[in-house]
Amino acid sequence: IPGRIVGLSKDAQGKPAYRLALQTREQHIRRDRATSNICTAQVLLANIASMYAVYHGPDGLHKIANRIHHLTNLMAEGLQHLGCQLSSHRFFDTLRVYPSGMTVLQIKERARQAFLNLRQYPDGSFGIALDETTTIHDVNQLLALFSASGSLSLNLEDLSVPPSSISTQEFLR
């Protein structure tokens, strides 16, 4: 769509306020001065994110968030079952794990062989982030990295993590 799309919002006092919701390219810059496409490059990411939200809608986004949080809960309980410690018991999709019974080098090598990326912190802990593409197979694979035997001896279905619903106020937006 060439041009601009203006959206109607509300200001802090609740009165109608018009804002520029979408603008294609740098049309407000004269052609002879437009030497960079950085505006276009940055707005492309914003457009993709907004279209993702529009495509899935509020219910779809909520369902995706609940699924990610549930898998993260499964991951957390599985890691604790393996003897690992978590930096916090308040999380949404990212865990910081302190391994137990294995060296940092062993875990890094297993992750490299499995083509998995983990964030390594200087204190020997690892960061694991899950997203909407994560599957139960991925969780099993990640848990096996932290298992001393290299295989997973527990069944994720046996863990006492009921399907979660994000109800904690700190996660709601």
Side-chain angles (χ1 to χ4, degrees):
I1 304 173
R4 299 176 179 109
I5 297 176
V6 176
L8 177 63
S9 297
K10 291 183 182 177
D11 65 11
Q13 288 77 36
K15 293 187 272 182
Y18 293 96
R19 61 177 169 71
L20 189 61
L22 179 66
Q23 178 173 331
T24 58
R25 308 205 43 93
E26 297 96 355
Q27 293 178 352
H28 61 285
I29 300 174
R30 287 199 325 255
R31 183 175 288 211
D32 58 330
R33 288 191 12 222
T35 59
S36 169
N37 280 336
I38 192 162
C39 297
T40 302
Q42 294 301 311
V43 81
L44 179 61
L45 299 174
N47 287 343
I48 290 171
S50 64
M51 288 299 103
Y52 181 88
V54 168
Y55 178 79
H56 290 290
D59 293 337
L61 291 176
H62 193 74
K63 183 178 177 182
I64 291 167
N66 280 332
R67 184 182 166 282
I68 293 168
H69 189 59
H70 175 68
L71 288 176
T72 309
N73 281 325
L74 279 175
M75 176 72 113
E77 187 160 329
L79 287 166
Q80 290 172 328
H81 184 79
L82 294 171
C84 299
Q85 291 183 342
L86 302 178
S87 67
S88 174
H89 294 283
R90 294 169 51 191
F91 52 80
F92 171 68
D93 63 351
T94 304
L95 301 170
R96 185 168 180 174
V97 183
Y98 295 90
S100 173
M102 295 183 62
T103 68
V104 170
L105 292 175
Q106 287 173 315
I107 293 173
K108 282 176 57 174
E109 180 57 25
R110 283 186 183 177
R112 187 190 65 74
Q113 289 175 356
F115 301 103
L116 296 172
N117 291 321
L118 300 175
R119 177 178 180 178
Q120 183 186 351
Y121 291 97
D123 65 357
S125 63
F126 291 92
I128 301 172
L130 307 183
D131 64 16
E132 66 269 21
T133 66
T134 304
T135 65
I136 197 75
H137 173 74
D138 297 327
V139 172
N140 278 317
Q141 204 175 11
L142 285 162
L143 287 172
L145 293 178
F146 292 90
S147 170
S149 67
S151 63
L152 197 55
S153 61
L154 59 100
N155 185 352
L156 289 179
E157 287 79 23
D158 294 338
L159 295 177
S160 61
V161 179
S164 59
S165 177
I166 302 167
S167 58
T168 307
Q169 286 296 335
E170 65 190 313
F171 295 129
L172 295 178
R173 292 186 190 170

